[in-house]
């Protein structure tokens, strides 16, 4: 670990954390673009994550629901990285997580829901694309319907997640930008930083004078903007970073 980074982190009072799929792989949830990623192993799977395809094709929707019915996230537990961030917040450091993940593991690790902005939504809720009624996803899956429809209006149901071709919630994104700009540090952990506009939070933070730290196995488009780039194991390095912050 770079001693200069640890020195700079020591005693920080406010930390923003942008997390991607890589922080949850140690919990048994596969990422998307890595060597064993969902889209690497099955490139056609991306079709089910495109809004136009999902809305137009019942078979695409069936593939999507089959994917999530057996998704590893239902059985996953927070790992050491999730827990370290929650414990740091519990120790009095203002931690705000801006996550691209939909698995809810940051909250299960102990972070208050209000301190986690789910940029791409949550797999734990399902919403009607017609009347916008919301339901617990477990309730929808328990129905056994392979292409569920809304019990209120008959509309197409979709996990409350952002698909390709769908805009992020403007209020959530605006709040995330404000957090990135107001924090002295932005730790980008386990994200390929290829999906916009979430990845552009790195630019927002750097332009506001924050120190950007990228922790990711592979190179990202934002490595040149980062003050520090770490290729270390996320489950090992994040607790170390958090310990440095907490060491006043």
């Amino acid at each position: 670990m770079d001693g200069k980074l640890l020195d700079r982190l020591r005693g920080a009072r406010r930390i923003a954390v942008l997390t991607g799929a890589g922080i949850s792989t140690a919990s048994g949830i596969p990422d998307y673009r890595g060597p064993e990623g969902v889209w690497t192993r099955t490139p056609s799977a991306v079709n089910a994550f495109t809004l136009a395809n999902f809305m137009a094709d019942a078979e695409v929707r069936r593939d999507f629901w089959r994917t999530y019915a057996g998704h590893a996230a239902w059985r996953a537990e927070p790992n050491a990285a999730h827990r370290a961030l929650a414990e740091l917040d519990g120790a009095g450091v203002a931690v705000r997580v801006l996550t691209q993940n939909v698995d809810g593991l940051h909250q299960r690790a102990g972070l208050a829901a209000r301190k986690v902005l789910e940029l791409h939504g949550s797999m734990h809720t399902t919403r009607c694309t017609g009347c916008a009624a919301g339901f617990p996803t477990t309730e929808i899956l328990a129905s056994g319907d392979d292409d569920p429809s809304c019990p209120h209006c008959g509309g197409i149901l979709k996990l409350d997640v952002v698909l390709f071709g769908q805009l992020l919630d403007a209020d959530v994104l605006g709040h995330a930008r404000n957090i990135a700009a107001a924090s002295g540090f932005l730790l980008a952990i386990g994200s390929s930083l290829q999906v916009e506009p979430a990845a552009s939070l790195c630019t927002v933070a750097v332009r506001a004078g924050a120190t950007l730290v990228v922790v990711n196995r592979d190179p990202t488009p934002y490595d040149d903007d980062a003050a520090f780039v770490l290729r270390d194991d996320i489950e090992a390095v994040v607790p170390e970073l958090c310990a440095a912050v907490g060491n006043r």
Side-chain angles (χ1 to χ4, degrees):
M1 179 72 67
D2 191 314
K4 292 181 179 179
L5 170 57
L6 297 179
D7 287 341
R8 192 177 298 190
L9 283 169
R10 192 164 290 117
R13 301 296 302 170
R14 186 184 298 271
I15 300 284
V17 187
L18 173 62
T19 62
I23 197 172
S24 292
T25 54
S27 294
I29 302 175
D31 60 14
Y32 295 99
R33 293 179 173 82
E36 297 299 320
V38 174
W39 298 333
T40 304
R41 289 184 286 108
T42 312
S44 62
V46 73
N47 293 332
F49 289 81
T50 301
L51 181 63
N53 294 338
F54 183 91
M55 295 299 296
D57 191 333
E59 191 54 42
V60 168
R61 293 196 294 273
R62 292 187 184 98
D63 285 343
F64 186 90
W65 284 106
R66 278 194 291 268
T67 296
Y68 274 95
H71 202 285
W74 297 115
R75 304 177 299 278
E77 295 292 336
N79 62 53
H82 297 107
R83 293 194 300 270
L85 292 169
E87 289 164 4
L88 181 63
D89 181 76
V93 176
V95 176
R96 296 295 182 272
V97 170
L98 321 171
T99 188
Q100 296 172 279
N101 298 336
V102 299
D103 53 39
L105 289 182
H106 286 294
Q107 296 93 315
R108 289 189 60 194
L111 269 174
R114 66 181 181 82
K115 298 182 179 182
V116 181
L117 291 188
E118 295 177 307
L119 301 172
H120 293 164
S122 171
M123 64 182 283
H124 295 278
T125 54
T126 291
R127 196 161 299 280
C128 177
T129 58
C131 69
F135 309 91
T137 300
T138 50
E139 178 181 303
I140 300 303
L141 292 175
S143 74
D145 193 336
D146 60 1
D147 181 19
S149 58
C150 178
H152 299 322
C153 74
I156 293 171
L157 291 182
K158 183 181 77 66
L159 284 189
D160 210 2
V161 302
V162 177
L163 302 182
F164 290 114
Q166 186 177 4
L167 296 176
L168 270 64
D169 183 284
D171 291 338
V172 172
L173 182 59
H175 191 188
R177 285 172 172 156
N178 290 338
I179 290 171
S183 300
F185 293 88
L186 177 63
L187 310 182
I189 302 171
S191 174
S192 67
L193 299 179
Q194 294 181 35
V195 178
E196 300 292 355
S200 66
L201 294 170
C202 295
T203 298
V204 172
V206 170
R207 287 179 176 172
T211 297
L212 173 62
V213 182
V214 172
V215 185
N216 200 55
R217 176 190 57 208
D218 303 314
T220 81
Y222 287 86
D223 287 358
D224 289 343
D225 297 325
F228 301 92
V229 177
L230 306 178
R231 300 282 181 239
D232 306 285
D233 177 73
I234 289 173
E235 202 177 13
V237 75
V238 171
E240 190 174 350
L241 293 174
C242 290
V245 175
N247 184 5
R248 297 183 178 82

